[in-house]
Amino acid sequence: MSVYHALVMRDDIAQPLEAIDGIEYTHLDHGGSDSAEFEYSTDFQLLLLNFSDASLAEQDQILWDLRSGKLDLPREIPVFCRQDSPLLEHLGDGLFEKRSQFHTFLDSFYERLEQLQKHTGSSPLDKFLAHAWPRADSSFGPRWQLQSHSSYQYPLLSCLGIEDQQKTLALWRQSDVIVERELVDRVRQCPRCDSEHLNYVDICPRCKSIDINSSVSLHCFTCGHVGEQGEFQLDTALRCPTCLTQLRHIGVDYDRPLERFHCASCDHRFIEGQVVASCHNGHRHKPDELKERRLYRYGLGPAADQIASVGRIFDNRALQWGESTSIENFSWLLRWTNTSAQRHKHQHLLLFLNWEGVAEAITQLGEARALAQIAELQERLHSVIRQTDVFAEIDADKAVILLCHTSVKWLDQIAAKLASIEAANDSSVLKLQVRNFPLPSKDLPENTQQWLLAQSNKLDIDDVI
C-alpha cells in the first residue's frame, strides 16, 4: 500500500481526525490567521481541513486561496474536509467521512496526473485540465453569487483567473473539451447590460406608472355608478353613494367589474397590469425581450482525453466529401498542395475567414442564440463550398478554406457568394472578414500549422474581399 503525506489544518476547537492506514498526518493549527501567510511543503499529496462549524468561512478562504495558486501547495492537490461548507462542492473533493475510499482515489488521481503533466502547460485550459482530468468522472458547476454582476459564477474558473466565463465555456464545449451533464438553472439577463439581478413589477398599461393598487369595485345597476367597495359601505348595508339604492343581490342589484386594478397616477382601471423587468442599472424591458442564459454542470469531453493522451486535440475521423477537417490534416494537405502546385504550375487560393464580433453577439443576443447563429452561418458557408474545396475550423470564430484550381481572378465571384452568406445574418454585430493568399507560394514555411494560426490572427477590416 502506498503511503501518502497529508497536511492537516485545524482551528483551535476542532476534534482530532481519526487515523487512516497508509496516510501520515502533519498537523498545522490555523489559529485564525490569513491562510495566505503560511508556507507549506510541496511534498504533501493530500490536504485535510479540520474546522469546526464556527470557522467554515476560513475553510472556504483556504479552498479559494489554494485553487487560485496563492498557497505554497500544488493547486490541484486533493482536499477533504471534516465539515461541509459552501465552496467544498466546487473546490474540494468531499468530506472526511469518505476516508475509506481515500487510497483508491489518491492512487487513481496521481496516476492520471502523471500522465497529464507530460503534455500540459500553463494556459487556463491546461490549469483546468490539471485540476479536473486526474479526478476521474469529475464535474463542475455554477454557484449563486449575489454580489456578482452575473447571478451565477463558476468558482473553479474564477480561481483560474477566467473572467469571460460564458465565452470560455462556449469554446470548450464546441471543442468537446467539456460536455453538458445537467441543466442547473435558467436565468434571464438584461439585453443591454447582461445584469441578472432583475426586479419584475406590474405597471399601468396606459401611463406606465408603478403607482397601482388592487381594489374591489362595485357597479350599481340602478344608476350605473362604479366605485370602490368602500364607497358603498353605508351603515351596515351596501348602498350606492350616488342613488342610495340598497344593493342586496349580486347579479340583480349590482355586480363586480373585471377591472381589479386602479392607477393612482391617471385614475385608469384595468384587469391586469403590464409586467416589466428592471435591472439594477435602470434598464426596463418586457419579459419576452430578456435574454436567456442556461447554467449547466459540466463534465469532461472526449477532447480532454485526447489532450491527456497526446497533448493536443487530434481529429482522426475518416473524411467525407465536403466535410470540414482538422487543422492538423489541413496543414499537411496545404504543404503537399503547395509543393505540387509549384511542380505542375497549378493555381490555388487560400481564404482566411473570421467572424468578427462574436463576443458582442453573445452579449447582445445571449450565448445560446449567438452560437446558434454562428452555427447556421457556418452551415450556409458549407453549402457554397465545392466538394473539392477543403475547409477547416481554426477556432469558434475563425476558419480557412483551400480552393483548389482557383486563381485570384475569381475573387469577385467568391466575394459575391460570401456576401450572400453575410446578408442572411440576422445580427448586425457579426461581420465576416476574409483574407486571401494565392498558391503556390515560396513563403509558405515547413511548419504550416503554426503559420496558419499566425495568418488567421492578422485579419483586419482592410482584408475584406
Side-chain angles (χ1 to χ4, degrees):
M1 177 184 293
S2 302
V3 177
Y4 293 99
H5 298 277
L7 175 65
V8 181
M9 295 186 64
R10 63 186 294 272
D11 60 14
D12 295 334
I13 60 176
Q15 297 296 318
L17 294 176
E18 296 84 349
I20 305 175
D21 292 339
I23 295 182
E24 297 180 353
Y25 291 166
T26 297
H27 293 273
L28 176 65
D29 291 336
H30 189 252
S33 301
D34 186 353
S35 60
E37 295 177 1
F38 289 88
E39 293 184 358
Y40 313 109
S41 168
T42 55
D43 294 335
F44 295 111
Q45 292 93 35
L46 177 64
L47 177 61
L48 300 176
L49 300 182
N50 183 17
F51 286 85
S52 62
D53 290 339
S55 303
L56 294 184
E58 297 177 47
Q59 175 174 295
D60 275 349
Q61 187 62 51
I62 294 174
L63 287 170
W64 188 273
D65 290 344
L66 173 68
R67 301 308 185 203
S68 300
K70 296 179 181 179
L71 302 185
D72 192 19
L73 284 169
R75 68 197 305 163
E76 68 276 1
I77 188 172
V79 182
F80 290 88
C81 303
R82 167 63 69 84
Q83 303 288 346
D84 197 3
S85 62
L87 286 180
L88 176 58
E89 174 190 356
H90 304 280
L91 303 178
D93 293 286
L95 293 171
F96 182 76
E97 63 188 28
K98 298 180 179 179
R99 54 188 178 276
S100 61
Q101 306 171 15
F102 277 9
H103 261 94
T104 303
F105 173 83
L106 292 172
D107 290 344
S108 171
F109 177 90
Y110 283 104
E111 180 181 349
R112 291 168 67 90
L113 181 63
E114 182 180 1
Q115 178 184 355
L116 182 65
Q117 286 180 336
K118 298 175 183 177
H119 307 292
T120 54
S122 58
S123 69
L125 176 58
D126 294 327
K127 293 177 182 177
F128 165 74
L129 290 176
H131 174 89
W133 196 81
R135 294 166 166 84
D137 199 33
S138 66
S139 64
F140 67 100
R143 178 178 180 240
W144 176 269
Q145 292 181 283
L146 186 61
Q147 70 275 19
S148 171
H149 180 70
S150 298
S151 57
Y152 280 99
Q153 291 286 317
Y154 288 81
L156 179 58
L157 302 189
S158 298
C159 287
L160 300 179
I162 298 175
E163 296 182 0
D164 194 345
Q165 297 187 1
Q166 293 189 57
K167 182 177 180 181
T168 299
L169 290 171
L171 293 177
W172 288 358
R173 195 167 60 243
Q174 280 196 337
S175 302
D176 288 335
V177 172
I178 58 175
V179 293
E180 297 167 357
R181 285 271 187 89
E182 176 189 0
L183 180 63
V184 176
D185 201 356
R186 291 164 43 226
V187 296
R188 303 294 177 179
Q189 294 179 318
C190 171
R192 290 186 59 185
C193 65
D194 281 351
S195 173
E196 294 173 2
H197 300 291
L198 303 173
N199 178 43
Y200 294 87
V201 63
D202 46 352
I203 62 175
C204 173
R206 175 186 288 176
C207 69
K208 312 304 180 186
S209 170
I210 63 171
D211 191 5
I212 64 174
N213 299 286
S214 60
S215 63
V216 178
S217 300
L218 299 183
H219 170 218
C220 174
F221 287 169
T222 302
C223 68
H225 175 69
V226 177
E228 293 188 9
Q229 182 169 314
E231 300 177 15
F232 290 79
Q233 292 285 355
L234 298 177
D235 299 327
T236 58
L238 289 178
R239 291 183 181 275
C240 176
T242 302
C243 67
L244 300 179
T245 301
Q246 186 173 0
L247 309 179
R248 293 184 175 86
H249 305 289
I250 188 169
V252 177
D253 302 318
Y254 70 99
D255 67 358
R256 291 188 174 90
L258 294 176
E259 291 80 2
R260 300 183 298 110
F261 296 93
H262 173 251
C263 176
S265 297
C266 68
D267 204 33
H268 179 53
R269 293 185 181 274
F270 47 94
I271 299 175
E272 288 186 354
Q274 177 184 337
V275 178
V276 295
S278 301
C279 71
H280 289 184
N281 292 323
H283 306 138
R284 276 190 176 187
H285 296 279
K286 297 178 181 178
D288 58 1
E289 295 174 341
L290 300 175
K291 298 188 298 184
E292 181 187 82
R293 180 188 178 199
R294 290 176 172 247
L295 285 303
Y296 290 92
R297 172 168 287 278
Y298 292 99
L300 295 180
D305 293 331
Q306 291 183 21
I307 295 174
S309 302
V310 299
R312 59 188 173 90
I313 301 174
F314 181 72
D315 185 1
N316 58 357
R317 297 174 302 167
L319 295 179
Q320 303 295 325
W321 284 111
E323 185 183 61
S324 62
T325 185
S326 67
I327 191 64
E328 291 85 2
N329 292 339
F330 190 95
S331 302
W332 181 91
L333 181 61
L334 175 61
R335 186 178 175 189
W336 179 88
T337 302
N338 190 61
T339 303
S340 176
Q342 288 176 330
R343 175 180 298 176
H344 300 290
K345 309 300 181 184
H346 294 161
Q347 288 186 321
H348 310 296
L349 195 61
L350 201 60
L351 295 183
F352 294 92
L353 291 82
N354 178 27
W355 287 108
E356 171 118 331
V358 173
E360 291 84 353
I362 291 177
T363 299
Q364 183 184 88
L365 304 174
E367 178 185 347
R369 289 177 59 192
L371 294 179
Q373 279 204 8
I374 294 173
E376 181 181 348
L377 291 170
Q378 295 280 38
E379 192 67 28
R380 291 178 182 271
L381 187 60
H382 278 284
S383 67
V384 301
I385 295 175
R386 300 170 302 182
Q387 287 191 336
T388 53
D389 298 332
V390 186
F391 177 90
E393 292 184 12
I394 297 177
D395 208 337
D397 55 353
K398 296 183 178 69
V400 60
I401 305 176
L402 175 61
L403 305 176
C404 299
H405 296 285
T406 304
S407 65
V408 292
K409 69 180 182 180
W410 295 101
L411 279 177
D412 289 341
Q413 289 89 332
I414 296 171
K417 287 186 177 181
L418 295 176
S420 66
I421 295 175
E422 189 172 17
N425 176 24
D426 294 332
S427 172
S428 60
V429 178
L430 288 173
K431 300 293 182 183
L432 180 61
Q433 295 180 324
V434 185
R435 180 169 177 259
N436 70 84
F437 187 88
L439 296 175
S441 172
K442 295 181 180 179
D443 297 329
L444 195 67
E446 289 189 9
N447 191 341
T448 51
Q449 182 173 342
Q450 185 176 352
W451 179 82
L452 283 169
L453 296 176
Q455 292 296 315
S456 67
N457 291 324
K458 289 183 179 180
L459 285 168
D460 55 50
I461 197 66
D462 296 331
D463 294 318
V464 177
I465 63 174

